């Protein structure tokens, strides 16, 4: 963001301009961002100028980076959108096992820098997701059952608050703000970087395997039974998928609905024998049901883990839904397959159960205001919404799935999985909502960033 001739401020980019188009670009094509004005910011000075311009023109500042969560942003009428772009590169201190990540950096860049030092990081399942937004929302990684929520590993946050002041929040520097930033739902300012503890992981056993959805009943039953006693070094997910016929997807996976089981098994102290035994306990019963259509489980280095979940790397139009579930048992498993399995008529490209528990389910004294998830599984559903008819069909099916899984819905959500502004949300108890509101009042007394707070995260 730069000034005009003679030092005068350049006009804010408005709809129709190249600057506006660059700033509102979002990964989720089904959730276009339509603020009144939008600008890319790369420095503290850029942010300060943008905040002054927003105040002068009566616009509310809103923040985004990659736009993966654009669907959860809600209306941006009357807003100046700040797209935070990376200022500098990821810096790794291998002795302290800490990485400094500029806001706007995708996980792929962080993983690569950590791997260069034979370290891993608690990244998301997509390499293109912005690391900082993911971490501020909690973050459920494939290292999560052994390492906990990714936000618990954050060691410092740098941000610019509404008064234009750069701040650092850490255990020894404004610990109340540091706690609130991690899972508090946003609205504290413009985060410019985070520091995160890295993981001493050199190798894992990881991959994905797919079967025809007609085999889903015994596969889901076997997976759920394994999950109940699975060791913490294993984090997995099960998905029923309707994959499109596009380049890069094997034809055997696009001839009808398939069920996939993917995940990561960490090798503690690089003990691959133990990791292989855990993998055998998971995959042996599944492979005994039927021969997989595709099976990629193998020994991998951490830099290969972001590709395991096979998330798209190019922008797509997606309409999602999410719940945190208690153990569904046999009744819940049957309900799940009735609405997403073979013969259900599901238009969802993916209906996922993500394994939680272990460290993900335990409070962490080092963590933020959201430091664990009190649930057995996360449900994440997604459908391609490439037009009004498809969007309506996907939305209707989300409602059908929500009704079917209602008996096991905890009423809570994981912010990192929320992709739709209108879905029920709630990840903080009332006492924690009041706690983070007190911090917001202190750092943003005029509520400049109040439109950037996630639903259910503020009582103001």
């Amino acid at each position: 963001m730069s000034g005009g001739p003679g030092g005068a401020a350049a006009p804010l980019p408005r709809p129709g301009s190249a600057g506006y188009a660059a700033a509102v670009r979002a990964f989720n094509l089904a959730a276009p961002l339509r603020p009144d004005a939008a600008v890319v910011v790369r420095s503290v000075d850029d942010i300060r100028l943008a905040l002054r311009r927003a105040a002068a023109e009566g616009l509310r500042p809103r923040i985004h980076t990659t736009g993966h969560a654009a669907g959860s942003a809600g209306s941006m009428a009357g807003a100046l959108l700040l797209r935070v772009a990376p200022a500098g590169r990821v810096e790794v201190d291998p002795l302290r096992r800490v990485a400094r990540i500029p806001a706007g950096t995708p996980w792929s860049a962080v993983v690569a820098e950590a791997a260069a030092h034979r370290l891993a990081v608690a990244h998301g399942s997509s390499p293109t997701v912005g690391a900082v937004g993911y971490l501020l929302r909690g973050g459920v990684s494939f290292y999560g059952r052994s390492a906990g929520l990714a936000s618990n590993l954050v060691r410092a946050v740098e941000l610019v608050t509404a008064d234009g002041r750069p701040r650092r929040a850490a255990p020894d520097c404004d610990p109340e703000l540091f706690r609130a930033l991690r899972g508090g739902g946003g609205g504290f300012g413009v985060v410019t970087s985070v520091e995160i503890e890295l993981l001493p992981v050199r190798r894992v056993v990881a991959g994905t395997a797919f079967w025809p959805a007609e085999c889903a009943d015994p596969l889901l039953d076997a997976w759920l039974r394994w999950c109940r006693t699975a060791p913490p070094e294993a984090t997995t997910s099960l998905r029923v998928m309707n994959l499109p016929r596009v380049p890069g997807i094997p034809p055997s996976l696009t001839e009808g609905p398939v069920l996939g089981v993917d995940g990561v098994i960490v090798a503690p102290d690089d003990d691959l024998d133990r990791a292989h035994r855990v993998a055998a306990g998971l995959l042996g019963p599944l492979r005994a049901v039927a021969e997989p259509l595709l099976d990629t489980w193998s020994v991998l280095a951490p830099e290969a883990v972001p590709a395991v979940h096979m998330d798209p790397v190019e922008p797509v139009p997606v309409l999602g839904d999410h719940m945190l579930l208690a153990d569904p048992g046999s009744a819940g498993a049957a309900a799940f397959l009735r609405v997403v399995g073979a013969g259900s008529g599901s238009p969802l490209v993916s209906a996922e159960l993500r394994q939680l528990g272990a460290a993900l389910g335990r409070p962490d004294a080092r963590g933020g205001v959201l430091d664990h998830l009190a649930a057995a599984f996360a449900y994440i559903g997604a459908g391609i919404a490439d037009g009004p008819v498809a969007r309506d069909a996907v939305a209707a099916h989300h409602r059908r799935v929500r009704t079917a899984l209602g008996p096991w819905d905890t009423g809570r959500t994981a912010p990192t999985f929320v992709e739709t502004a209108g879905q029920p949300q709630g990840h903080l108890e009332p006492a924690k909502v009041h706690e983070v509101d007190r911090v917001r009042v202190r750092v943003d007394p005029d509520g400049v960033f109040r439109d950037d707070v996630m639903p259910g995260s503020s009582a103001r």
Side-chain angles (χ1 to χ4, degrees), residues 109-411:
V110 186
V111 170
E113 287 295 328
H117 299 277
R118 306 185 77 179
L119 295 166
V121 63
H123 56 79
S125 57
S126 168
T128 59
V129 164
V132 169
Y134 165 96
L135 291 169
L136 299 179
R137 288 177 170 230
V140 180
S141 81
F142 274 124
Y143 301 103
R145 283 174 35 84
S146 58
L149 287 179
S151 57
N152 294 346
L153 297 169
V154 171
R155 294 293 166 257
V157 181
E158 295 179 348
L159 71 159
V160 178
T161 46
D163 56 5
R165 173 185 165 191
R167 298 183 188 235
R168 179 179 173 85
D172 60 351
C173 182
D174 203 340
E176 290 183 346
L177 176 58
F178 182 52
R179 174 174 160 84
L181 281 162
R182 294 173 295 153
F188 304 98
V190 185
V191 172
T192 56
S193 71
V194 301
E195 294 176 12
I196 185 173
E197 179 181 328
L198 301 175
L199 305 173
V201 175
R202 295 172 55 188
R203 292 183 293 181
V204 299
V205 174
T208 186
F210 289 99
W211 292 264
E214 288 77 12
C215 302
D217 286 280
L219 290 168
L220 177 55
D221 178 67
W223 180 73
L224 287 173
R225 279 190 281 108
W226 175 84
C227 285
R228 293 182 188 115
T229 59
E233 59 263 36
T235 306
T236 64
S237 75
L238 179 145
R239 290 178 290 174
V240 178
M241 307 187 75
N242 294 284
L243 294 167
R245 291 184 171 90
V246 296
I249 298 180
S252 62
L253 303 184
T254 63
E255 295 172 355
V258 294
L259 182 146
V261 172
D262 65 324
V264 171
I265 300 168
V266 176
D269 300 319
D270 208 34
D271 185 352
L272 279 177
D273 288 340
R274 175 174 169 79
H276 279 302
R277 288 195 298 272
V278 174
L282 164 64
L283 297 168
L286 302 179
R287 290 166 176 159
V289 171
E291 183 179 352
L293 299 169
L294 176 71
D295 192 339
T296 69
W297 281 84
S298 61
V299 177
L300 298 176
E303 55 264 42
V305 170
V308 163
H309 204 55
M310 299 174 63
D311 281 359
V313 295
E314 297 296 330
V316 289
V318 172
L319 182 65
D321 197 17
H322 158 62
M323 294 173 276
L324 289 179
L325 305 176
D327 189 331
S330 58
F336 176 72
L337 292 180
R338 276 198 302 271
V339 290
V340 302
S344 66
S346 171
L348 304 183
V349 68
S350 176
E352 176 179 354
L353 295 175
R354 182 76 64 93
Q355 181 188 15
L356 302 178
L360 288 171
R362 292 194 298 267
D364 188 333
R366 307 172 305 166
V369 67
L370 176 68
D371 63 355
H372 72 289
L373 301 175
F377 298 94
Y379 167 76
I380 310 109
I384 301 298
D386 54 0
V389 173
R391 185 180 185 89
D392 289 347
V394 171
H397 205 80
H398 282 324
R399 292 191 293 270
R400 184 183 171 198
V401 174
R402 185 170 281 275
T403 298
L405 297 181
W408 300 275
D409 183 1
T410 66

